Amino acid sequence: MAQKPSIPKGTRDFSPAEVAKRHYIISVIKSNFEKFGFQPIETPSFENSETLIGKYGEEGDRLIFKILNSGDFLDKISGEELQIINAKQLTGKISEKALRYDLTVPFARYVVQHQSEIEFPFKRYQIQPVWRADRPQKGRFREFFQCDADVVGSKSLWQEVELVQLYDSVFTQLGLQGVTIKINNRKILSGIAEVIGAKDKLIDFTVALDKLDKIGEDGVKKEMIEKGILESAIEKVQPLFNFTGTISEKIEKLSFLLAESTEGMRGVEELRFICDKVTNLGLTQAILDLDVTLARGLNYYTGAIFEVAAPKTVSMGSIGGGGRYDDLTGIFGLKDMSGVGISFGLDRIYLVLEELNLFPETVTSTSKALFINYGEKEAFYSMQAITKLRNIGIKVELYPDNVKVGKQFQHADKRGIPFAVIVGESEMNVGKFALKNLISGEQVLVDFEALKKALL
């Protein structure tokens, strides 16, 4: 007996209905990207390993899918090496490529490689799949799409203001209320680490702090201590674990806490500019909130950090995120090229819209009408009309086989097709069509123009 086929954990098949809903979300995101002046690019699904490794921190590097070299990947490794070599050393010898972990680092590589062809500032968007060797769970997959918008070649904080507006515009069009756009600044986190005397532990500090909503205050403190941060240092940032108030009140608290840090105060002023401008310009539905625990462990963020939380009525992780990266292209040899970008989590947005029943009823991949097949002459008559309807963008089809009419109607019902078009000898004699509404059961005799109007 043949083994039942399966797919890897953390991946999914998508039905026609699911694909139609995903395309709906993508079309909304894409139209807003272009409305804000972003241009599309695409990059390969896999990159050279050295392009990706070392760009996401220690945790990120562990989640990168490596691709074995083609052919006999052990051919160039001696038996002696295999006896003493460790896994990390071996990987570099048998794998030269890896699946992309995100779209930002490949974008930085693209900018450096094509810098002579690009007009700066360069606003690009990219909607493609990425892969992470993560533990699968609700809303977290090993293969998923990212929808990114980045601006590179400008240090202006107006870019951050526009990116907040872009988030608001997309979620407003999707009808998603109660979304919170969380903002912080890595300079503030650096300033806090400096004030408590743990500057050399910045990454450990921020990675632990970023987990506050997941493992709680005690869990964060325990992780910080395990990473070598002194308890006395942690006590100095106790106010961060219960940081409340309006955005302006939080900014004033940070000004007091970071008064002795030049780096930290730069972050405070950047946040003040962004938040003041967004507040004065106004948002349609989204809520902007300053979250000092927002750290995002990625090594390349240097300024503003964003993370988007779904409505509180939905149990879901972040549905978007991003930030400013002043030196990302520097790792590829292009210095002083500042960038800032955000990402939309397509798969999680899908789950949120599905749970809240926010997909429009018109979102479907099915045909508008099925022409019933009564025989060769009738089918040809139908195909003439079908061709004209398709030429003006109406989705219709002919049942391909001349089988029992009941079976054809069952097919339309299972496919969710709302209309059936019946063409028999009597309809052909008068040059008309019998149009049946499969939901109400109503049937009318119409000419082609009336048929077209009914199916538009």
Side-chain angles (χ1 to χ4, degrees):
M1 184 176 177
Q3 185 176 353
K4 185 178 179 181
S6 63
I7 58 175
K9 288 182 179 180
T11 64
R12 295 149 296 160
D13 290 321
F14 297 106
S15 69
E18 290 169 328
V19 170
K21 291 177 179 179
R22 288 166 64 84
H23 283 179
Y24 162 70
I25 299 172
I26 290 172
S27 68
V28 170
I29 295 173
K30 180 180 176 181
S31 65
N32 278 278
F33 281 166
E34 294 180 351
K35 182 170 70 176
F36 278 72
F38 292 86
Q39 299 175 289
I41 68 165
E42 292 187 357
T43 59
S45 57
F46 55 92
E47 299 271 352
N48 292 325
S49 295
E50 61 263 26
T51 299
L52 304 178
I53 301 297
K55 311 305 189 299
Y56 305 102
E58 186 177 337
E59 288 191 4
D61 280 355
R62 288 201 302 269
L63 302 181
I64 293 175
F65 274 110
K66 285 81 173 178
I67 301 173
L68 289 175
N69 294 339
S70 57
D72 185 355
F73 53 86
L74 291 175
D75 184 49
K76 296 180 181 179
I77 301 178
S78 66
E80 291 78 11
E81 283 182 303
L82 282 174
Q83 296 297 321
I84 61 172
I85 204 166
N86 62 38
K88 193 171 183 180
Q89 292 171 316
L90 182 63
T91 299
K93 293 178 178 290
I94 66 175
S95 173
E96 298 170 352
K97 296 174 286 293
L99 292 175
R100 60 172 173 244
Y101 175 91
D102 74 350
L103 299 178
T104 305
V105 170
F107 171 54
R109 189 268 309 153
Y110 176 94
V111 169
V112 174
Q113 193 170 342
H114 299 275
Q115 57 186 287
S116 61
E117 309 156 25
I118 294 174
E119 172 61 28
F120 294 103
F122 180 42
K123 301 176 74 171
R124 88 81 169 87
Y125 76 83
Q126 198 169 346
I127 301 175
Q128 290 186 278
V130 299
W131 295 267
R132 296 182 184 180
D134 214 342
R135 183 172 64 86
Q137 53 186 286
K138 182 183 178 182
R140 178 172 291 178
F141 308 101
R142 288 176 171 171
E143 178 186 60
F144 57 96
F145 266 72
Q146 282 189 341
C147 310
D148 283 13
D150 289 78
V151 187
V152 67
S154 171
K155 295 182 179 181
S156 171
L157 294 176
W158 284 110
Q159 307 292 358
E160 278 87 337
V161 173
E162 282 205 330
L163 290 174
V164 173
Q165 291 180 318
L166 175 55
Y167 267 138
D168 182 50
S169 182
V170 168
F171 291 121
T172 296
Q173 192 171 336
L174 290 173
L176 194 54
Q177 300 179 357
V179 166
T180 301
I181 304 169
K182 299 178 182 180
I183 187 172
N184 197 13
N185 193 296
R186 283 299 288 263
K187 294 184 179 72
I188 286 174
L189 295 168
S190 297
I192 293 170
E194 181 183 348
V195 166
I196 66 174
K199 198 171 182 179
D200 61 327
K201 299 285 187 179
L202 173 60
I203 298 299
D204 293 332
F205 174 80
T206 55
V207 167
L209 189 63
D210 195 27
K211 298 176 182 177
L212 182 62
D213 61 337
K214 299 183 183 72
I215 61 176
E217 181 179 336
D218 292 339
V220 170
K221 289 179 177 179
K222 180 182 177 182
E223 183 169 326
M224 287 181 176
I225 291 170
E226 289 173 351
K227 294 292 185 178
I229 299 172
L230 299 176
E231 288 189 48
S232 58
I234 297 173
E235 288 176 8
K236 292 181 181 179
V237 292
Q238 181 63 39
L240 296 179
F241 296 105
N242 295 286
F243 211 67
T244 59
T246 65
I247 289 180
S248 57
E249 288 171 345
K250 290 177 180 178
I251 288 175
E252 290 311 312
K253 289 178 183 178
L254 285 174
S255 297
F256 178 77
L257 183 64
L258 299 174
E260 297 179 6
S261 170
T262 302
E263 177 82 349
M265 288 306 297
R266 277 203 296 265
V268 170
E269 292 310 311
E270 288 180 10
L271 268 185
R272 194 192 307 275
F273 179 92
I274 298 165
C275 295
D276 284 352
K277 297 301 181 289
V278 169
T279 300
N280 289 323
L281 288 168
L283 296 175
T284 305
Q285 286 191 0
I287 302 162
L288 182 66
D289 185 39
L290 170 54
D291 183 355
V292 291
T293 68
L294 177 59
R296 299 184 68 87
L298 302 179
N299 282 348
Y300 50 70
Y301 289 136
T302 57
I305 314 164
F306 300 105
E307 188 163 281
V308 183
K312 294 179 181 178
T313 55
V314 181
S315 178
M316 183 63 64
S318 65
I319 56 176
R324 167 73 65 171
Y325 42 89
D326 281 338
D327 56 1
L328 185 63
T329 56
I331 58 181
F332 297 120
L334 183 59
K335 303 293 184 181
D336 301 320
M337 185 62 73
S338 184
V340 61
I342 58 174
S343 179
F344 291 82
L346 171 65
D347 299 285
R348 291 186 176 184
I349 293 171
Y350 179 105
L351 293 173
V352 171
L353 295 183
E354 187 87 332
E355 186 168 334
L356 298 177
N357 196 27
L358 290 175
F359 283 108
E361 291 183 7
T362 54
V363 175
T364 176
S365 62
T366 195
S367 296
K368 196 70 180 287
L370 177 71
F371 282 70
I372 304 301
N373 190 333
Y374 282 92
E376 186 176 341
K377 287 190 302 182
E378 293 86 349
F380 182 74
Y381 181 91
S382 295
M383 281 301 297
Q384 289 176 300
I386 288 171
T387 302
K388 291 177 184 177
L389 292 170
R390 286 173 175 168
N391 286 340
I392 57 175
I394 300 175
K395 295 189 287 186
V396 289
E397 60 184 280
L398 172 73
Y399 194 86
D401 303 304
N402 180 14
V403 296
K404 290 182 179 180
V405 173
K407 182 176 181 179
Q408 298 185 50
F409 276 105
Q410 285 178 0
H411 178 75
D413 182 58
K414 291 178 179 179
R415 291 270 310 279
I417 297 173
F419 292 98
V421 181
I422 301 167
V423 176
E425 191 171 336
S426 59
E427 286 82 15
M428 291 173 61
N429 287 339
V430 294
K432 294 189 175 182
F433 308 84
L435 177 66
K436 184 170 184 176
N437 186 316
L438 297 179
I439 299 172
S440 67
E442 180 185 3
Q443 183 171 316
V444 292
L445 190 66
V446 296
D447 61 16
F448 179 78
E449 287 302 316
L451 176 67
K452 178 176 71 174
K453 187 175 179 180
L455 297 180
L456 276 172

